[in-house]
Amino acid sequence: MRNSKTKFAFVFHSCDAYEVLYKGCIYYFNKYWSSEIPVTKYFITEEKDVHFAGFKNIKSGTGAWTSRLHHAISQIDEPYIIYFQEDYWLTQKVEPSYFEKIMAAVEKLNPALLKLHDQTGDYKFLENAEVEVAGLIMKRLDVGKSDFILSHRASIWRKDFFLDQLTIKESPWQNEMFGTQRLRKTSEKIYMLDYLRDNEKGKIDSPDFSHYYTVAESGKLNHFTSYFIENIKKDKLAEQDMLEYMDQINAIYASQSPLVQNLAKFSLIDRAKIKWNRLVRLNN
């Protein structure tokens, strides 16, 4: 899978149970992501074959969420991973010249992780630790005070650092919560550049940012789905198969049918650990 021309892999990570979302995420990716951005594109499934133009299909196999992702990322040669999940549907153009600036900054700075979104109330930043690279101002997270240091929102990961966070068998929620606890003492530098805003953060029509909605939550389609349903209805150039597809999405959303039957959840022990760790941190 080696591509000597690129150092960045764009990754859609999915599970087979979310197959109904594949078409939508690729449609809106192609609509708003520029083909001029020099990345190698991958679509990760468990066992299903997918054939999307320009994407290489990696199969992660079954098992724990982190184990599957570790196996998949290990098959990628590019040293930097632009990570998305299949329910991240773009609503706004990703400006190629600006995003290439971000990539150039990552190559020069070589951070362990660059979060491409702010998370007001959760992220705290070190004073006088901002860096300017390629004309971009990046804020360095205070890992001792921030929450969701490890999250699965749109970010650029250094591949080796990403793999290190996936060595313990965890669900995605456990990985975010307990991974954050493990990273509180990391010496690695983690930065934030607020560009790919998600959900209700920022204006989706702002020329200074790009934006996406996460259309699934707790195994079901959420209210952000209605934006795309209305968007398709207003698009006079929309092809019939896409109209029919969005009718299918609308029916699933209206019925609140679960996309996955056995959703992994926090156990009572997990919840107790999270509360205890937070209390200890707040009292220190």
Side-chain angles (χ1 to χ4, degrees):
M1 292 187 180
R2 182 173 296 279
N3 186 333
S4 60
K5 295 182 180 180
T6 66
K7 292 185 178 180
F8 290 81
F10 180 95
V11 170
F12 268 126
H13 177 213
S14 187
C15 63
D16 292 358
Y18 276 43
E19 183 180 13
V20 71
L21 300 183
Y22 296 177
K23 186 171 182 176
C25 87
I26 292 296
Y27 176 86
Y28 286 103
F29 175 85
N30 288 335
K31 183 174 183 178
Y32 293 113
W33 183 276
S34 172
S35 60
E36 298 174 17
I37 300 173
V39 297
T40 306
K41 293 175 286 190
Y42 300 89
F43 199 103
I44 299 173
T45 59
E46 291 174 273
E47 296 178 318
K48 288 187 179 295
D49 291 309
V50 295
H51 303 281
F52 299 122
F55 281 84
K56 300 178 181 181
N57 181 202
I58 294 178
K59 295 180 182 179
S60 67
T62 58
W65 187 88
T66 48
S67 300
R68 300 197 316 261
L69 185 54
H70 189 284
H71 179 64
I73 297 299
S74 297
Q75 299 177 57
I76 294 173
D77 288 324
E78 287 76 15
Y80 301 107
I81 308 294
I82 305 167
Y83 181 81
F84 268 49
Q85 294 182 345
E86 81 295 293
D87 65 331
Y88 296 3
W89 291 13
L90 288 168
T91 70
Q92 192 169 327
K93 182 180 179 182
V94 176
E95 176 57 47
S97 61
Y98 190 91
F99 203 82
E100 286 188 45
K101 277 188 178 181
I102 296 175
M103 294 161 66
V106 167
E107 284 196 70
K108 186 172 183 180
L109 187 61
N110 194 35
L113 171 60
L114 174 63
K115 293 174 172 291
L116 295 173
H117 57 278
D118 198 353
Q119 199 157 312
T120 306
D122 290 323
Y123 295 165
K124 309 298 180 185
F125 303 101
L126 293 171
E127 293 185 11
N128 304 316
E130 294 180 352
V131 294
E132 181 174 355
V133 186
L136 305 175
I137 304 296
M138 300 184 183
K139 296 181 179 181
R140 184 177 171 186
L141 265 66
D142 184 335
V143 296
K145 296 180 179 178
S146 295
D147 283 321
F148 292 101
I149 303 165
L150 198 164
S151 73
H152 307 131
R153 298 190 181 192
S155 302
I156 301 179
W157 293 79
R158 201 176 66 222
K159 177 188 166 184
D160 64 317
F161 181 74
F162 200 5
L163 289 173
D164 285 346
Q165 313 316 312
L166 304 171
T167 58
I168 299 173
K169 291 183 178 180
E170 293 174 321
S171 71
W173 302 278
Q174 289 173 324
N175 187 237
E176 287 191 328
M177 294 299 179
F178 300 135
T180 290
Q181 295 298 329
R182 293 191 292 269
L183 285 177
R184 291 211 180 279
K185 296 181 180 180
T186 185
S187 60
E188 292 277 12
K189 295 179 180 179
I190 298 174
Y191 291 94
M192 187 280 296
L193 178 70
D194 192 15
Y195 177 66
L196 268 165
R197 295 183 166 189
D198 62 0
N199 298 339
E200 294 171 339
K201 295 180 174 65
K203 296 180 179 179
I204 63 171
D205 58 350
S206 169
D208 299 322
F209 305 95
S210 186
H211 181 269
Y212 65 91
Y213 279 131
T214 57
V215 299
E217 184 177 356
S218 299
K220 296 181 180 180
L221 295 179
N222 62 29
H223 68 283
F224 293 127
T225 308
S226 59
Y227 170 85
F228 298 97
I229 295 168
E230 293 302 316
N231 185 271
I232 282 291
K233 288 179 180 177
K234 294 176 182 177
D235 188 352
K236 295 180 180 179
L237 298 178
E239 296 181 0
Q240 185 61 33
D241 70 325
M242 195 61 192
L243 292 170
E244 293 173 356
Y245 169 73
M246 291 308 293
D247 283 341
Q248 178 189 7
I249 290 294
N250 190 28
I252 296 172
Y253 170 58
S255 68
Q256 281 297 284
S257 301
L259 301 176
V260 57
Q261 297 298 325
N262 298 310
L263 187 68
K265 297 181 179 180
F266 281 121
S267 67
L268 291 175
I269 294 175
D270 285 344
R271 292 180 187 278
K273 286 179 180 177
I274 292 166
K275 288 182 179 180
W276 174 255
N277 288 329
R278 182 162 290 181
L279 284 171
V280 169
R281 183 170 60 84
L282 291 175
N283 289 322
N284 287 336

